[in-house]
């Protein structure tokens, strides 16, 4: 959502809701949704039900389509607003600037700032119309000049111009006009798709976040049973912290609950529990929940 909605960041943040409330509020008041995920079902069945909510395949498909549309539009806009070789000239060149007859034609030539065009163009071909060149457009890098010559000398002129570091630019008023129309069409389409994509993201963000939190709760239960055995005898707490104090909080918790598993304080711990590495292993069960993934500074809960 941050990428699609763009800055400012609070624009995306205001849409990061779960059941209509902000994420931290939902987390602190979390209750297992028995209607969606009946606790009488086996754990494997609950996991399957929860995982079906996560529309990652559809997200990739929608994101690919939207990003492809955006890239195409950006490329066209960049070309038409780019350097002298690609920028749009329809607002600059008038049809009367271009001589098109049975024998004559007008070319547009890109000339770098440091090159001498006026002294050179007439000698590039004997079939150039004398004093026919006009400056069409100029920027800090150079200019675009028109030159009229006989059609039969176009190939010869282009070759000689290239030798002199002049660039003959292919130009057609009708082609440029079609490009402008295509940009307008794509801009409208992108705006429509942006609205559709944002609405889809908002709905699915909520669903995925809720499912994700249920997975966290499920893991707390499963890991506690695996670690401490039966009968079930544990209490789950939600502790709010931030990046600055999270390390200190974990140290305090390890000290407080060291009696649950004294080996956890050893420098080297042999841990065969899937998904847990040595650095993550502690005497208590702990899972991180980020509630500020759309913010610059992320508050979190453990």
């Amino acid at each position: 959502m941050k990428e699609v909605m763009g800055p400012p960041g609070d624009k995306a943040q205001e849409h990061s809701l779960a059941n209509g409330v902000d994420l931290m509020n939902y987390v602190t008041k979390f209750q297992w949704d028995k209607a969606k995920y009946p606790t009488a079902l086996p754990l494997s069945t609950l996991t399957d039900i929860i995982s079906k909510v996560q529309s990652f395949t559809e997200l990739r498909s929608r994101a690919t389509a939207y990003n492809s549309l955006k890239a195409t539009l950006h490329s066209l806009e960049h070309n038409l607003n780019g350097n002298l070789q690609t920028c749009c000239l329809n607002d600059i060149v008038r049809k009367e600037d271009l001589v098109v007859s049975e024998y004559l034609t007008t070319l547009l030539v890109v000339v770098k700032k440091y090159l001498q065009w006026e002294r050179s163009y007439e000698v590039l071909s004997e079939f150039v119309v004398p004093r026919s060149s006009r400056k069409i457009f100029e920027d800090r890098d150079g200019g675009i000049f028109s030159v009229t010559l006989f059609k039969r000398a176009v190939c010869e002129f282009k070759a000689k111009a290239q030798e002199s570091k002049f660039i003959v630019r292919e130009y057609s008023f009708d082609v440029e006009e079609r490009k402008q129309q295509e940009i307008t069409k794509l801009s409208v389409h992108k705006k429509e798709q942006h609205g559709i994509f944002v609405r889809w993201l908002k709905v699915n963000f909520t669903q995925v976040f809720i499912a994700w939190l249920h997975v966290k709760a499920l893991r707390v239960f499963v890991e506690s049973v695996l670690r401490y055995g039966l009968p079930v005898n544990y209490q789950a707490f939600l502790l709010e912290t931030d990046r600055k104090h999270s390390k200190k909080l974990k140290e305090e918790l390890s000290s407080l609950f060291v009696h649950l598993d004294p080996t956890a304080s050893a420098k080297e711990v042999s841990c065969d529990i899937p998904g847990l590495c040595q650095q993550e292993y502690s005497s208590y069960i702990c899972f991180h929940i980020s509630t500020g993934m759309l913010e610059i500074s992320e508050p979190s809960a453990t």
Side-chain angles (χ1 to χ4, degrees), residues 48-83:
D48 290 339
I49 294 174
I50 294 173
S51 65
K52 288 178 182 178
V53 177
Q54 302 176 20
S55 309
F56 295 124
T57 301
E58 187 177 357
L59 172 61
R60 283 195 294 267
S61 175
R62 286 177 177 269
T64 299
Y66 178 75
N67 288 332
S68 176
L69 172 63
K70 189 168 67 170
T72 301
L73 179 60
H74 176 75
S75 177
L76 287 173
E77 289 176 335
H78 177 74
N79 285 337
L80 289 185
N81 298 301
N83 57 35

Side-chain angles (χ1 to χ4, degrees), residues 110-286:
V110 176
V111 181
K112 297 294 183 181
K113 203 80 171 180
Y114 58 87
L115 297 176
Q116 296 295 324
W117 166 254
E118 287 84 357
R119 300 177 184 177
S120 308
Y121 78 91
E122 290 184 3
V123 299
L124 294 177
S125 172
E126 61 181 314
F127 296 103
V128 172
V129 177
R131 289 178 294 207
S132 63
S133 180
R134 298 287 183 275
K135 183 187 292 182
I136 301 296
F137 178 74
E138 184 178 23
D139 66 10
R140 62 183 182 181
D141 297 321
I144 297 177
F145 294 81
S146 65
V147 59
T148 302
L149 65 157
F150 283 85
K151 289 182 177 179
R152 63 178 182 174
V154 168
C155 291
E156 175 197 1
F157 182 87
K158 286 183 177 180
K160 291 290 183 63
Q162 186 174 11
E163 291 176 4
S164 301
K165 299 183 179 180
F166 302 129
I167 302 171
V168 177
R169 174 172 164 171
E170 300 297 332
Y171 175 79
S172 166
F173 185 87
D174 294 335
V175 170
E176 295 289 309
E177 187 66 25
R178 284 196 294 272
K179 287 182 180 179
Q180 289 281 21
Q181 292 173 356
E182 180 67 14
I183 287 176
T184 302
K185 179 181 175 182
L186 286 174
S187 296
V188 172
H189 187 45
K190 176 178 173 286
K191 186 175 181 180
E192 292 173 349
Q193 292 304 307
H194 178 269
I196 293 172
F197 194 22
V198 167
R199 287 192 294 274
W200 185 89
L201 286 170
K202 287 163 59 177
V203 171
N204 283 271
F205 177 87
T206 293
Q207 293 180 353
V208 171
F209 184 84
I210 292 173
W212 181 57
L213 204 58
H214 279 77
V215 170
K216 295 285 189 180
L218 198 61
R219 288 193 68 186
V220 168
F221 172 77
V222 172
E223 297 287 356
S224 297
V225 172
L226 289 175
R227 181 82 69 87
Y228 308 120
L230 294 172
V232 175
N233 182 19
Y234 75 90
Q235 178 66 53
F237 290 93
L238 185 72
L239 300 177
E240 182 181 355
T241 184
D242 54 33
R243 291 183 184 274
K244 184 178 179 181
H245 299 95
S246 60
K247 184 178 179 181
K248 180 66 175 176
L249 174 61
K250 290 180 179 180
E251 291 174 353
E252 292 290 338
L253 289 173
S254 295
S255 175
L256 184 62
F257 297 112
V258 66
H259 63 281
L260 295 177
D261 189 353
T263 61
S265 61
K267 291 184 178 179
E268 294 184 4
V269 178
S270 177
C271 178
D272 297 325
I273 300 177
L276 292 181
C277 65
Q278 291 181 6
Q279 289 78 10
E280 294 173 320
Y281 190 81
S282 60
S283 58
Y284 59 94
I285 305 299
C286 176

Side-chain angles (χ1 to χ4, degrees), residues 13 22-28 209 212-213 216 237-250 253 286-302:
Q13 176 63 22
D22 65 87
L23 303 186
M24 183 56 79
N25 193 15
Y26 177 80
V27 170
T28 54
F209 184 84
W212 181 57
L213 204 58
K216 295 285 189 180
F237 290 93
L238 185 72
L239 300 177
E240 182 181 355
T241 184
D242 54 33
R243 291 183 184 274
K244 184 178 179 181
H245 299 95
S246 60
K247 184 178 179 181
K248 180 66 175 176
L249 174 61
K250 290 180 179 180
L253 289 173
C286 176
F287 295 108
H288 179 74
I289 301 171
S290 173
T291 59
M293 60 281 293
L294 300 182
E295 296 176 351
I296 296 175
S297 177
E298 295 188 359
S300 60
T302 296

